[in-house]
Amino acid sequence: MTKYRILSLDGGGIRGIITAIILQRLNAEPGLNGWLNLVDLIAGTSTGGLLALGLAHGLSPEFMRSVYETKGAEIFDDSWLDDLVDIGKITGADYDIKNLEREVKKIFGKTTLAQLKRRILITAFDLDNESHNKASRTWKPKLFHNFPGHDTDGSELAFKVGLYTSAAPTYFPSVDGYIDGGVYATNPSMCALAQSQDSDFKKRPLLSDVVLLSLGTGTCLLYIEGKELDWGYAQWAKQLVTLMLDGTSGIADYQCNQILGDKYHRMAPVFPPDVSIPMDAVDRIPYMVEFAESHKHVDLTATIKWLKDYWL
């Protein structure tokens, strides 16, 4: 049997450091040598998109982790002047995306998606397809990929696509008309599975040959009390952004599990009930490092067994 291996990486902002550490731990596990080199398709959303691009570019989890640790505070740098211009966050995004742009451009340079070493799928959302036909002008999900074919995005610059998928509403401004793919696929597993079955691809794998590993960035146990919330724009605004970016991953997990069964595995560590880590919580990096490195909090036993049974 020829296996087709998919690695899917969730969005989650600065919490992406948890994914990088999980990958690092799995690489160091005896018996899993070279497991990451067997990936056929890497999918990612937002911070997971940046990780996916990095891995497809040949960068190690250790390197990607170091970027979070050394550059996270600069990327999520909210100056008092920016707050003043934004009228205390009422208007304007929380952060200027220029700092993130500088870092991803430094990493990827002029590399295009076609020049990456792996097949890639990166989610984003196009706010305006700019169709000349008014009857078809609309916003729409966008999946950037480097598969061959008439709809390939191989000519797109990797750093640009990294910015597109990372432009989370209210956190960063849009880039070239794109925003974070997390508004519809924080967990891009199902998008990746569908991409592998595209009828345009001559070497499409059989569904029975697909194995898929999905990694989360740490789940916060969030909830909203009250049975009848008579809220308006002001009360729902920030909550809706969190609902979109954090609350959609479960459905993709359900769908992939139903379709692939045992050939699908998800590792999504859960924070303790009293811990909430927003996507921009750079001050919590030390805690996230300790959390992700802890066998108590992030037990990889089941993931390691699954990789040995189904991936290798």
Side-chain angles (χ1 to χ4, degrees):
M1 181 180 71
T2 301
K3 295 182 181 180
Y4 189 87
R5 301 168 178 87
I6 299 175
L7 176 63
S8 176
L9 307 175
D10 279 19
I14 197 64
R15 299 199 306 264
I17 191 173
I18 292 174
T19 304
I21 292 174
I22 289 174
L23 290 170
Q24 186 178 352
R25 285 178 57 189
L26 290 174
N27 274 355
E29 183 66 25
L32 291 183
N33 296 334
W35 76 273
L36 202 48
N37 295 327
L38 298 175
V39 175
D40 294 290
L41 170 60
I42 312 176
T45 291
S46 194
T47 194
L50 292 173
L51 285 168
L53 289 165
L55 293 173
H57 192 42
L59 303 176
S60 67
E62 289 82 1
F63 176 84
M64 301 303 291
R65 169 185 176 172
S66 72
V67 174
Y68 286 99
E69 291 181 310
T70 62
K71 302 298 181 180
E74 294 179 31
I75 291 170
F76 291 102
D77 179 23
D78 191 19
S79 68
W80 67 268
L81 180 59
D82 181 63
D83 279 350
L84 180 63
V85 172
D86 293 344
I87 316 178
K89 299 181 183 292
I90 295 176
T91 65
D94 287 348
Y95 306 103
D96 189 332
I97 205 165
K98 289 181 180 178
N99 292 337
L100 176 59
E101 180 177 2
R102 182 185 64 249
E103 295 306 322
V104 294
K105 196 170 185 179
K106 191 184 303 180
I107 292 171
F108 297 106
K110 295 182 179 180
T111 301
T112 64
L113 296 189
Q115 293 171 324
L116 296 175
K117 298 177 175 64
R118 304 280 176 188
R119 292 282 181 248
I120 201 86
L121 183 79
I122 306 295
T123 70
F125 193 87
D126 186 356
L127 295 174
D128 181 2
N129 64 7
E130 299 183 333
S131 173
H132 296 296
N133 182 356
K134 289 186 178 180
S136 60
R137 186 171 182 176
T138 185
W139 54 23
K140 61 182 177 64
K142 169 62 180 176
L143 299 174
F144 287 91
H145 68 80
N146 59 359
F147 285 78
H150 70 279
D151 66 341
T152 185
D153 300 295
S155 63
E156 296 283 348
L157 291 171
F159 91 87
K160 276 285 190 178
V161 175
L163 294 179
Y164 299 158
T165 191
S166 301
T170 75
Y171 289 93
F172 293 111
S174 63
V175 181
D176 296 341
Y178 292 101
I179 60 172
D180 194 324
V183 298
Y184 67 93
T186 296
N187 174 356
S189 296
M190 193 61 195
C191 295
L193 181 58
Q195 181 74 10
S196 76
Q197 299 301 298
D198 194 317
S199 59
D200 286 344
F201 305 142
K202 296 179 180 179
K203 296 183 179 180
R204 177 176 46 166
L206 296 174
L207 195 58
S208 58
D209 292 339
V210 174
V211 291
L212 198 161
L213 174 62
S214 174
L215 299 181
T217 59
T219 301
C220 299
L221 299 174
L222 302 176
Y223 57 88
I224 299 175
E225 289 187 272
K227 300 295 185 182
E228 299 177 2
L229 300 175
D230 187 16
W231 286 2
Y233 291 112
Q235 296 101 324
W236 274 115
K238 196 70 175 184
Q239 299 287 358
L240 283 175
V241 171
T242 302
L243 283 171
M244 284 189 300
L245 299 178
D246 277 354
T248 61
S249 61
I251 188 63
D253 178 44
Y254 168 79
Q255 292 166 330
C256 287
N257 190 51
Q258 291 297 311
I259 294 171
L260 296 177
D262 291 341
K263 293 176 296 178
Y264 167 76
H265 179 80
R266 179 161 171 81
M267 158 46 63
V270 179
F271 294 121
D274 59 339
V275 175
S276 178
I277 301 182
M279 297 199 306
D280 56 351
V282 292
D283 59 318
R284 305 300 301 277
I285 288 177
Y287 172 84
M288 286 186 282
V289 169
E290 181 181 356
F291 174 85
E293 290 182 337
S294 167
H295 293 274
K296 174 184 176 182
H297 292 300
V298 183
D299 185 353
L300 297 179
T301 303
T303 303
I304 293 167
K305 183 178 186 306
W306 181 86
L307 284 169
K308 290 180 178 179
D309 289 345
Y310 294 97
W311 189 278
L312 298 179

